[in-house]
């Protein structure tokens, strides 16, 4: 796990050496902390719990790499096609709004699920479904106004201005 | 196989991705993980103090602040981690997967980093919802994984340092504005409908802002109006203070409601039992103190009752004593609580009998509970039974 590979940075002698030393120190410290954590786990978790943890970690990675990224890539491709008639700025506003909406919805979705299984009535008392609906209304409204405003301003004006800036 | 992974990689290629993008996201994520690690260690230290632990009691909202920051920063890290992983996704598809022993080790360490980070953020979030669907104990797992994650972060920085240095600043000359149609430093021309690196970063920033804004109101009162998606809302619950463990949960209603309830204070051979009337006859003090839960929510309230240091003096014990406090709860991890001398001596640490001007609600620990400055809520023992001077 030691840093290897000579790099461009290392060729500039003095600075290169400092970087090299920093990498070795960081790498060694990092490996030591990882070891401390990994050795600590079995002192408090039994074999079935460790196995459960391993399974949960594997599922988390599979869900992320196998579902979340591919789905968002496909969605992004769709947006590229949809947005190609728009100015880059307003297409970006729509993409950004969708990103925000989806992440907030996932978090609120987990919250709603937790609410449905919670035994304690003193937590999770909000009407989260209604809140989510309101969130989307405000988000869509803001995004629409912004995108519309950008589309309305003269063609290419903003871009040319930006280009001449230092 | 290589052809297949190359084809897949092409499918996932996006001109928005670049080393510079990854470095910027990595900075944000590294900072948030570090904040979580440090505030988390502080929380751990307060609950399982090593011999050298320091116990700050001023400002009284210290733990409210650190744990509020912990959970809020942890939530902010969710979109940041997703964005960071998205920015390096094509790496996953590179073929061959392992080129050398060093390369294999590096990839293994990355796999551990990603898996533990994804798990830490998800279970951390769900834990604050008081939902525990996993087959391992949250707190212990969260604690040890924190070391693994922060260690992985250091190792990862060590491995990538030359790239990080190279891309720390935007390279001059090719710097491009959000909507500039010129070549960005990734070298990729902007296609219609795609977004630039800066637009992507701005969107990640807005997303992070949105999840923070709509949840942080559980920890920071000035954000309360925007609290849409936090599991707790300030000002709710009996006497306008949220409750974590109700009297019914703790199965103490009968014991706590008993007419002949007394609080027993003991030191060596001295044993004094005080009824509620006797406690009320002692000098009463009032303090504004927050109750700050390990789950990040908090609530400031007015507490009134007897100073614990007066009870220590009452049984003739030295003021610098530490205490063991027991609840009426028949069982539970927090039935007994040890109180270091710092808190026992502090004049704001109360055996509270009143909350916000009323007799303590049963769910808040009637007839008497502990409230000390700067401690996690789980250590503010409710339904007191005994106070033992150690
Ligand atoms: C890289 C990210 C994180 C790190 C390094 C980290 C680290 C820690 C550490 C070291 C503790 C102390 C555990 C103990 O008392 O033994 C802790 C506690 C806690 N963390 Fe995190 N944490 C992270 C993310 C999160 C997130 C995302 C959340 C929730 C949104 C969260 C929620 C909590 C809670 C609720 C506790 C209190 C546990 C208890 O005392 O019962 N953490 N964290």
């Amino acid at each position: 796990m030691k840093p290897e590979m000579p790099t461009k940075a290392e060729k500039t002698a003095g600075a290169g050496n400092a970087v090299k030393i920093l990498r070795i120190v960081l790498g060694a410290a990092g490996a030591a902390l990882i070891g401390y954590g990994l050795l600590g786990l079995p002192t408090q978790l039994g074999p079935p719990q460790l196995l459960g943890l391993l399974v949960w970690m594997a599922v988390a990675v599979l869900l992320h790499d196998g579902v979340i990224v591919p789905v968002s890539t496909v969605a992004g491709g769709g947006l590229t096609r949809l947005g190609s008639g728009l100015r880059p700025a307003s297409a970006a506003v729509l993409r950004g709004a969708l990103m925000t909406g989806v992440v907030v919805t996932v978090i609120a979705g987990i919250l709603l699920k937790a609410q449905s299984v919670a035994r304690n009535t003193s937590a999770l008392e909000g009407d989260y479904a209604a809140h989510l609906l309101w969130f989307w209304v405000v988000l869509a409204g803001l995004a629409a106004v912004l995108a519309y405003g950008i589309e309305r301003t003269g063609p290419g004006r903003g871009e040319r201005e930006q280009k001449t800036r230092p | 196989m290589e052809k297949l992974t190359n084809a897949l990689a092409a499918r996932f290629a996006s001109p928005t991705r670049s080393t510079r993008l990854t470095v910027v996201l990595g900075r944000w994520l590294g900072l948030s993980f570090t904040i979580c690690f440090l505030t988390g260690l502080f929380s751990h230290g307060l609950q399982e103090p090593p011999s050298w632990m320091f116990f700050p009691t001023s400002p009284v909202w210290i733990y409210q602040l650190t744990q509020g920051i912990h959970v809020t920063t942890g939530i902010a890290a969710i979109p940041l981690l997703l964005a960071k992983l998205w920015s390096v996704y094509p790496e996953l598809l590179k073929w061959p997967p392992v080129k050398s022993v060093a390369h294999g080790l590096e990839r293994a360490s990355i796999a551990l980093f990603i898996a533990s980070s994804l798990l830490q953020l998800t279970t951390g979030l769900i834990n604050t919802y008081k939902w525990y669907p996993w087959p391992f104990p949250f707190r212990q797992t969260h604690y040890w994984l924190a070391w693994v994650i922060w260690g992985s972060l250091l190792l990862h920085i060590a491995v990538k340092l030359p790239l990080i240095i190279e891309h720390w600043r935007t390279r001059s000359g090719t710097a491009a504005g959000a909507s500039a149609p010129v070549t960005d430093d990734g070298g990729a021309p902007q296609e219609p409908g795609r977004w630039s690196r800066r637009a992507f970063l701005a969107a990640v920033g807005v997303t992070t802002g949105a999840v923070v804004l709509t949840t942080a109101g559980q920890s920071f009162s000035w954000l309360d109006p925007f609290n849409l998606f936090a599991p707790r809302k300030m000002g709710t619950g009996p006497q306008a203070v949220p409750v974590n463990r109700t009297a019914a949960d703790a199965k103490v209603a009968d014991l706590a409601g008993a007419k002949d309830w007394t609080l027993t204070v003991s030191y060596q051979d001295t044993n004094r039992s005080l009824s509620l009337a006797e406690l009320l006859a002692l000098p009463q003090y009032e303090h504004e103190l927050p109750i700050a839960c390990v789950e990040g929510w908090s609530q400031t309230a007015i507490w009134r009752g007897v100073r614990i240091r007066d009870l220590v003096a009452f049984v003739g014990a030295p003021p610098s004593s530490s205490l063991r406090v027991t609840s009426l709860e028949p069982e539970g991890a927090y039935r007994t609580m040890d109180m270091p001398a710092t808190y026992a001596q502090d004049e704001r640490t109360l055996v509270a009998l009143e909350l916000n001007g009323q007799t303590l609600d049963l769910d808040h620990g009637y007839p008497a509970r502990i409230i000390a400055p700067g401690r996690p809520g789980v250590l503010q023992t409710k339904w007191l039974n005994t106070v033992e001077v150690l």
Side-chain angles (χ1 to χ4, degrees):
Chain A
M1 262 181 255
K2 261 177 284 155
E4 73 299 339
M5 296 180 290
T7 60
K8 254 185 269 166
E10 279 163 1
K11 283 175 195 154
T12 41
N17 266 336
V19 170
K20 199 168 184 175
I21 291 169
L22 185 59
R23 291 182 79 185
I24 291 172
V25 171
L26 279 176
L33 295 190
I34 295 174
Y36 180 63
L38 288 183
L39 292 176
L41 271 173
T43 63
Q44 293 195 293
L45 275 69
Q49 295 175 325
L50 285 171
L51 188 69
L53 176 60
L54 224 75
V55 171
W56 269 67
M57 281 166 79
V59 170
V61 172
L62 285 179
L63 261 182
H64 175 266
D65 290 356
V67 180
I68 298 177
V69 178
V71 166
S72 52
T73 301
V74 170
L79 286 176
T80 303
R81 247 160 282 135
L82 273 179
S84 53
L86 296 174
R87 279 147 190 277
S90 50
V93 165
L94 296 183
R95 263 173 196 267
L98 203 63
M99 180 197 274
T100 301
V102 168
V103 171
V104 167
T105 303
V106 168
I107 290 182
I110 302 173
L111 189 54
L112 281 166
K113 170 72 190 161
Q115 198 176 29
S116 73
V117 295
R119 352 154 256 123
N120 189 331
T121 48
S122 66
L124 306 160
E125 288 178 316
D127 186 353
Y128 301 116
H131 292 174
L132 186 59
L133 192 72
W134 276 114
F135 184 84
W136 271 104
V137 168
V138 171
L139 181 70
L142 281 179
V145 167
L146 248 166
Y148 182 72
I150 294 167
E151 290 294 313
R152 277 285 305 264
T153 48
R157 201 182 295 152
E159 286 152 33
R160 239 169 277 133
E161 268 171 15
Q162 283 215 351
K163 240 167 116 183
T164 55
R165 250 180 241 153
Chain B
M1 192 63 202
E2 187 163 359
K3 250 194 200 148
L4 177 66
T5 54
N6 282 345
L8 261 177
R11 189 88 190 79
F12 281 99
S14 160
T16 310
R17 286 198 180 92
S18 67
T19 309
R20 167 72 187 161
L21 174 71
T22 305
V23 168
V24 174
L25 289 168
R27 285 202 301 235
W28 295 357
L29 192 61
L31 181 67
S32 63
F33 276 18
T34 303
I35 292 173
C36 281
F37 184 57
L38 296 177
T39 49
L41 286 187
F42 179 61
S43 177
H44 178 84
L46 290 182
Q47 293 181 69
E48 325 254 332
S51 55
W52 49 264
M53 185 65 194
F54 58 101
F55 300 101
T57 54
S58 290
V60 293
W61 38 262
I62 178 90
Y63 185 72
Q64 174 181 37
L65 179 71
T66 61
Q67 197 59 11
I69 288 177
H70 182 84
V71 170
T72 302
T73 311
I75 293 174
I78 295 172
L80 296 179
L81 178 66
L82 290 175
K84 171 77 164 60
L85 293 180
W86 178 84
S87 78
V88 294
Y89 189 71
E91 299 287 318
L92 182 73
L93 303 168
K94 284 215 175 125
W95 201 264
V98 175
K99 285 184 274 193
S100 63
V101 177
H103 183 241
L105 279 174
E106 198 231 311
R107 295 207 73 170
S109 72
I110 292 282
L112 178 66
F113 190 14
I114 294 175
S116 46
S117 303
L118 285 171
L119 187 93
Q120 190 85 333
L121 298 193
T122 344
T123 56
L125 181 72
I126 296 177
N127 179 71
T128 69
Y129 299 164
K130 299 186 72 68
W131 177 32
Y132 315 102
W134 41 77
F136 43 83
F138 171 76
R139 195 157 153 255
Q140 290 80 351
T141 310
H142 196 76
Y143 174 72
W144 292 114
L145 280 188
W147 290 99
V148 173
I149 290 168
W150 207 67
S152 302
L153 176 64
L154 294 188
L155 180 61
H156 184 57
I157 294 173
V159 171
K160 303 291 183 192
L161 196 56
L163 277 176
I164 296 173
I165 292 172
E166 195 181 334
H167 293 272
W168 190 257
R169 292 172 188 284
T170 319
R171 271 168 293 169
S172 50
T174 52
S179 52
V182 293
T183 305
D184 206 342
D185 32 349
Q190 197 179 335
E191 299 161 28
R194 294 247 184 220
W195 51 1
S196 66
R197 183 189 73 232
R198 286 193 189 169
F200 178 80
L201 281 173
V204 173
V206 169
T207 304
T208 307
V211 295
V212 165
L213 188 68
T214 55
T215 56
Q218 64 179 337
S219 318
F220 305 100
S221 55
W222 48 283
L223 287 174
D224 178 61
F226 308 100
N227 180 351
L228 295 179
F229 303 116
R232 295 287 184 162
K233 181 127 183 95
M234 287 192 181
T236 59
Q239 297 169 331
V241 176
V243 170
N244 231 13
R245 193 161 152 83
T246 61
D249 280 343
K251 303 191 182 73
V252 292
D254 291 344
L255 289 169
K259 285 256 153 33
D260 59 350
W261 173 86
T262 56
L263 175 66
T264 304
V265 186
S266 59
Y267 172 59
Q268 292 172 356
D269 297 334
T270 316
N271 255 309
R272 305 286 291 268
S273 287
L274 293 135
S275 68
L276 187 53
E278 285 168 319
L279 282 170
L280 282 164
L282 294 173
Q284 304 287 304
Y285 294 86
E286 193 171 275
H287 289 290
E288 191 178 49
L289 296 171
I291 183 108
C293 184
V294 290
E295 287 150 17
W297 64 267
S298 55
Q299 175 79 55
T300 301
I302 314 263
W303 307 87
R304 190 180 163 81
V306 179
R307 294 196 303 206
I308 197 114
R309 60 192 244 174
D310 292 348
L311 293 180
V312 171
F314 191 66
V315 290
S320 61
S321 311
S322 51
L323 315 176
R324 174 159 298 155
V325 177
T326 313
S327 167
L328 291 170
E329 289 177 74
E331 56 194 26
Y334 299 103
R335 198 177 81 87
T336 60
M337 174 272 285
D338 284 352
M339 181 183 282
T342 320
Y343 300 108
Q345 276 176 296
D346 195 291
E347 57 175 31
R348 291 159 302 188
T349 302
L350 300 178
V351 168
L353 308 171
E354 281 182 25
L355 165 55
N356 287 338
Q358 295 167 351
T359 301
L360 217 50
D361 188 275
L362 186 58
D363 282 339
H364 285 308
Y366 175 88
R369 77 170 297 168
I370 295 288
I371 184 84
R375 293 195 97 188
V378 285
L379 301 178
Q380 313 279 27
T381 309
K382 303 200 273 192
W383 311 293
L384 295 185
N385 185 20
T386 63
V387 173
E388 207 183 320
V389 182
L390 299 176

